[in-house]
Amino acid sequence: MADKKEFKYEIGGRVFIQRPLVLGQLKQLIDHVMKDLIVPETDSLDPMMLLEILGDKLPLGLAIILTEEGKSPKDKNILQLGEDLYFEITAEQTMEVIADFFVCTPVTSLLSMFTEKMKDVQKSLTEAGLSKSA
C-alpha cells in the first residue's frame, strides 16, 4: 500500500488536515455527496471537471474530507462546516484540496482493489455451493 499522505491547510484562521479517508468519511461522501451525481464518461477526471460535477455539493464534500486539526472526523458537524467553508476557503485552496484528495485517496486503485476482492468473494460463494441468487 502507498505511503499515507497528510496535507494541512489554513482556512478562515483554522488549520484543517486531509488524510486518507476512514470508513465513516467514505460513507458520508456516498450518502451526502455522490448520491445522484452524474459523472460523464472520461479517461481523465481533472479538478475543474470535478468542481463542475459536484456543483452545490462541493462545500459538503470539503467538510467531509477535511478535519480540523486536533479533532476526529467523527467529531464534526459536516453541515455547519460545509457552510463555514463555503465562505472561508479560497478558489485556489479548493483546487489544492481536490488535487490532494486524489493523492490521499487513490480512487482508481481502491475501485480496482474492491473489484478484485468482490471476485474473490463471488468465487468463494460459488465454491461453497451458493448461487448468485443467494
Side-chain angles (χ1 to χ4, degrees):
M1 184 172 219
D3 293 334
K4 290 186 176 183
K5 302 285 184 193
E6 179 176 292
F7 298 93
K8 286 187 178 189
Y9 316 91
E10 186 174 334
I11 304 167
R14 298 184 283 176
V15 176
F16 291 89
I17 308 294
Q18 181 175 190
R19 295 182 183 99
L21 296 179
V22 296
L23 189 57
Q25 287 172 297
L26 184 58
K27 178 152 177 36
Q28 288 175 329
L29 274 178
I30 291 168
D31 291 349
H32 299 288
V33 178
M34 296 170 66
K35 192 176 282 187
D36 302 322
L37 279 185
I38 298 171
V39 180
E41 288 187 35
T42 179
D43 290 335
S44 63
L45 185 65
D46 61 48
M48 281 304 288
M49 187 181 295
L50 191 58
L51 281 173
E52 186 177 321
I53 292 167
L54 290 172
D56 292 339
K57 293 182 177 188
L58 178 62
L60 188 57
L62 294 172
I64 292 168
I65 66 173
L66 296 175
T67 302
E68 194 167 355
E69 189 172 46
K71 294 187 179 179
S72 166
K74 68 180 180 178
D75 297 332
K76 60 184 172 181
N77 178 333
I78 59 171
L79 296 176
Q80 182 60 56
L81 183 55
E83 284 184 32
D84 293 348
L85 289 172
Y86 190 70
F87 289 100
E88 294 174 351
I89 192 168
T90 66
E92 182 179 85
Q93 287 173 316
T94 301
M95 297 300 288
E96 182 180 5
V97 169
I98 291 171
D100 292 346
F101 173 79
F102 289 101
V103 174
C104 274
T105 307
V107 178
T108 305
S109 65
L110 285 177
L111 289 174
S112 176
M113 184 172 35
F114 179 75
T115 301
E116 288 304 312
K117 294 296 178 189
M118 289 310 299
K119 286 178 186 176
D120 292 344
V121 168
Q122 183 62 43
K123 182 180 176 189
S124 295
L125 291 175
T126 302
E127 288 173 356
L130 299 174
S131 69
K132 289 184 181 182
S133 62

